[in-house]
Amino acid sequence: MAMIKCPECGNEISSDAISCPQCGKKIKGTGIEGIIDSGGSAFVYILAIVIPVGFLIWLGSNIVSCVGHLV
Ligand SMILES: [Zn+2]
């Protein structure tokens, strides 16, 4: 059992604690809620933007190389 600092108030709490006893900040999320709470939603949004944009760039470069071969 380790002691960790609450990301919200800095209070030292057990790493096994589900939430901070001082401010009530959730430490251990339950399932998808915990992922969203810990900034996972931002990561999902980034992926949702990067994957289609990256695919379009890849597609665009392939078309350009195809056209380059034709010309
Ligand atoms: Zn706290």
Side-chain angles (χ1 to χ4, degrees):
M1 191 166 101
M3 297 300 281
I4 55 162
K5 274 198 171 184
C6 169
E8 196 70 22
C9 66
N11 184 36
E12 283 219 329
I13 49 170
S14 164
S15 62
D16 291 334
I18 293 162
S19 63
C20 173
Q22 187 159 298
C23 68
K25 169 80 178 172
K26 270 191 185 177
I27 306 304
K28 274 189 183 173
T30 50
I32 195 79
E33 243 179 66
I35 295 165
I36 291 165
D37 278 357
S38 60
S41 59
F43 180 68
V44 170
Y45 286 133
I46 289 164
L47 275 185
I49 293 162
V50 165
I51 289 170
V53 168
F55 178 73
L56 283 174
I57 290 166
W58 172 81
L59 202 68
S61 66
N62 269 17
I63 289 165
V64 165
S65 66
C66 281
V67 170
H69 284 301
L70 287 170
V71 173

